[in-house]
Amino acid sequence: MNKNKWMSFFGFSAVCFFAGCAWHPGGLTSLDAQTEAVVRSSFRPEGIVKLDALDTDETNRLCSAAAVRAEPLDEDTARRIEAENFNSIVMPPNGQFIGDWRKGEIIAQSGRGLTFSDNGKSPNGGNCYNCHQIDKKEIAYGTIGPSLFNYGKIRGVQDPNSADSRPIVEYTWRKIWNAKGFNACSNMPRVGHKGILSPEQIADVMALLLDPKSPVNQ
Amino acid sequence: MAKMRWIALAGGIMLANAVLAQTKDAAVQSIEEYRAMLEDGNPSDLFEAKGEDLWKQIRGPKNASLQQCDLGKGPGVVAGAFVELPRYFADTQRVQDLESRIVTCMQVLQGFDAAKIASTPFDSGEQKNVTALATWIAAQSKGMRFNVPQEHVKEQTAYEIGKRLFFQRGGPHDFACATCHGQDGKRIRLQELANLTRFPGDGVGIAAWPAYRVSTGQMWGMQQRLNDCYRQQRFPYAVFGSDAIIALGVYLGVNSHGAQSVAPAIKR
């Protein structure tokens, strides 16, 4: 046995020691396959949620697998996933980036929609306050995402429809539409990409963040 | 002069931060006080009493009690059983949690139809009885420390599958269990979130359920708790006693090794 063979033998043993190949021939692959089988046998459709909610894309599969290994995605994969998500972003069809901040606040407050106990008839919420501070008057905000208080003010937005504001307006649209275009394994839902909110609803949330008259920017 | 202004500015920012921190703490603190007040009158006592009664009562097509039920420590041994579940059972050749094991005993000893109970919605019919039994059985381990076994190969496999399920992103929101429960010190709205990927401390997560939920006025077992997590993740309906729910229970239970059980707890 030459040195390389020893190295690979040792590497395999080390993997098996930590991942527990001894339990099952095939080790990790087998555990992933068994998990897949468990998922397929453990859920049933209910209300508006069908079993296809369990089918997911490469972005989620790679991020889930990396989290199981307790390591970040490798740089090349992360950049590739981000590029794919970024390139799929759809800008507002009517060129309307900024809607009504009052409607945006209602959308940001609402966590409704797309669970099996929702009826699919009322509009979906954005779940924004679940994770972000937004209007300071709302003290019941979550902390999984960063604070968005003064979002537009901090970035110097005086008129969100002006040419000066265009870069930050476009960036914000893209971030809401598909946060994985910027951070492959972001915890943030891909709000536009997955159709959670309509383009009109996203424009209203944009106004909440960027309109100088919005309470967020006072 | 410039220096003075800097000091004043820095002082101002520090003061603002302190005020902000204080407001936050006040909100969280008042919720903690509310929870403490609830502790004085936890309605789970009523479910415990019902559960104890159901354990001893002659019921079902076979006219038998559950007193010979083996919860993992031998027939009829209840004290300490909860903190060692889920575990592998040789008779069913499955890893089972408390609730799925209760249903097995109801089938084997009393002649109930296990599949029918599993498909009964939570909080109705025999499911209500399963929850009451789980509440009483868990209460007999109150104050004991979690020691979920990892000896049998199927227990080890269940842990590994549970871990994969915990990090599995899916649904329209890309949510996994880990989205909310994978970091320290985070909140959803004002609800503090435990990091369940490691030891979460005494009386947290699996060491708190079954629990009485004030907001819904219901007693919930861990099966229902995890089913509702998946609902909020926008996943389909996680079937009672399914391998996914059991595997998650093993993952959470083993991560909580050494944690003191406070079940049945009271929740908002």
Side-chain angles (χ1 to χ4, degrees):
Chain A
M1 227 183 228
N2 63 31
K3 195 179 164 193
N4 277 344
K5 275 189 187 152
W6 271 112
M7 287 299 281
S8 62
F9 173 75
F10 176 75
F12 179 75
S13 308
V15 165
C16 283
F17 179 78
F18 292 113
C21 303
W23 317 331
H24 285 279
L28 283 175
T29 319
S30 169
L31 284 167
D32 289 344
Q34 286 181 75
T35 304
E36 184 63 25
V38 163
V39 169
R40 293 293 150 196
S41 71
S42 294
F43 293 89
R44 62 168 169 77
E46 174 85 3
I48 61 169
V49 182
K50 310 301 173 204
L51 288 178
D52 63 10
L54 299 167
D55 300 332
T56 197
D57 63 1
E58 190 196 18
T59 300
N60 277 338
R61 276 197 300 277
L62 290 170
C63 291
S64 303
V68 169
R69 296 192 306 268
E71 28 180 72
L73 279 186
D74 68 86
E75 282 296 312
D76 289 351
T77 307
R79 295 301 90 78
R80 178 174 66 78
I81 293 294
E82 285 159 9
E84 282 172 14
N85 278 284
F86 188 91
N87 292 332
S88 75
I89 293 170
V90 179
M91 299 310 258
N94 51 5
Q96 190 75 41
F97 283 98
I98 306 294
D100 178 347
W101 66 260
R102 290 172 194 83
K103 290 184 189 164
E105 168 68 12
I106 294 166
I107 294 163
Q109 286 282 356
S110 171
R112 298 185 76 99
L114 302 171
T115 74
F116 61 65
S117 55
D118 286 298
N119 62 16
K121 286 171 189 152
S122 25
N124 296 334
N127 279 294
C128 310
Y129 278 102
N130 279 342
C131 297
H132 296 282
Q133 182 182 39
I134 310 175
D135 180 353
K136 219 168 195 171
K137 285 196 288 294
E138 177 55 85
I139 63 157
Y141 61 87
T143 58
I144 293 175
S147 172
L148 302 174
F149 180 66
N150 276 353
Y151 181 90
K153 192 178 181 180
I154 289 166
R155 291 162 179 81
V157 177
Q158 282 160 4
D159 174 6
N161 295 308
S162 70
D164 284 354
S165 302
R166 191 75 182 187
I168 189 63
V169 166
E170 285 193 1
Y171 162 79
T172 307
W173 179 276
R174 287 194 166 99
K175 181 83 177 181
I176 297 172
W177 189 274
N178 191 338
K180 272 83 169 175
F182 301 88
N183 172 5
C185 297
S186 168
N187 279 326
M188 183 162 149
R190 292 173 281 185
V191 177
H193 182 71
K194 292 290 195 85
I196 298 167
L197 297 181
S198 68
E200 294 72 28
Q201 286 178 302
I202 294 176
D204 291 335
V205 174
M206 292 276 292
L208 181 66
L209 296 177
L210 292 161
D211 192 326
K213 293 187 289 295
S214 160
V216 167
N217 295 315
Q218 303 315 308
Chain B
M1 193 60 202
K3 196 178 165 192
M4 289 289 284
R5 268 211 299 266
W6 271 113
I7 290 170
L9 182 67
I13 291 170
M14 276 163 66
L15 189 67
N17 283 341
V19 168
L20 194 65
Q22 218 165 34
T23 339
K24 269 194 230 169
D25 288 349
V28 172
Q29 198 188 338
S30 60
I31 289 177
E32 275 163 10
E33 282 167 11
Y34 164 72
R35 288 200 184 113
M37 279 191 308
L38 292 174
E39 289 292 341
D40 290 341
N42 187 345
S44 67
D45 292 354
L46 304 170
F47 294 85
E48 276 180 47
K50 182 185 170 189
E52 182 173 16
D53 199 43
L54 282 163
W55 181 260
K56 293 170 181 166
Q57 209 179 314
I58 308 288
R59 288 204 324 134
K62 290 190 179 175
N63 288 314
S65 80
L66 288 168
Q67 283 168 300
Q68 287 306 302
C69 177
D70 184 352
L71 296 166
K73 297 177 78 74
V77 180
V78 176
F82 174 65
V83 290
E84 294 178 18
L85 289 167
R87 73 187 308 153
Y88 175 77
F89 288 88
D91 55 358
T92 55
Q93 297 190 327
R94 284 194 66 197
V95 176
Q96 296 186 286
D97 68 348
L98 174 56
E99 288 158 274
S100 57
R101 187 61 188 172
I102 289 170
V103 173
T104 294
C105 286
M106 288 170 75
Q107 172 167 272
V108 173
L109 298 174
Q110 298 181 309
F112 286 104
D113 181 348
K116 196 180 159 200
I117 297 174
S119 62
T120 301
F122 290 112
D123 216 42
S124 70
E126 284 298 330
Q127 277 287 349
K128 278 188 161 182
N129 292 336
V130 173
T131 305
L133 282 158
T135 304
W136 176 67
I137 292 164
Q140 307 317 302
S141 294
K142 201 165 192 168
M144 296 184 194
R145 297 196 177 275
F146 265 83
N147 186 22
V148 173
Q150 280 282 278
E151 280 143 37
H152 196 277
V153 61
K154 286 193 178 176
E155 293 167 345
Q156 296 163 358
T157 306
Y159 179 86
E160 286 297 322
I161 291 173
K163 183 203 266 182
R164 282 159 179 74
L165 293 169
F166 196 88
F167 290 105
Q168 182 198 5
R169 294 170 173 227
H173 291 66
D174 305 333
F175 286 154
C177 307
T179 308
C180 289
H181 293 289
Q183 302 174 76
D184 291 342
K186 297 291 182 184
R187 296 188 333 228
I188 286 284
R189 293 281 187 163
L190 285 179
Q191 176 67 51
E192 289 165 298
L193 301 163
N195 181 354
L196 301 177
T197 65
R198 58 169 185 77
F199 178 73
D202 291 340
V204 176
I206 198 166
W209 300 85
Y212 183 80
R213 293 204 56 168
V214 177
S215 54
T216 59
Q218 293 168 328
M219 196 77 208
W220 280 20
M222 196 58 175
Q223 286 279 339
Q224 188 169 3
R225 184 69 201 87
L226 293 176
N227 176 285
D228 199 61
C229 285
Y230 271 131
R231 181 187 67 80
Q232 293 181 74
Q233 276 174 245
R234 276 76 178 173
F235 276 49
Y237 191 98
V239 174
F240 177 93
S242 59
D243 288 340
I245 299 293
I246 304 283
L248 277 172
V250 172
Y251 178 69
L252 299 175
V254 170
N255 287 351
S256 281
H257 183 85
Q260 207 168 27
S261 176
V262 299
I266 187 158
K267 299 280 181 180
R268 65 167 174 90

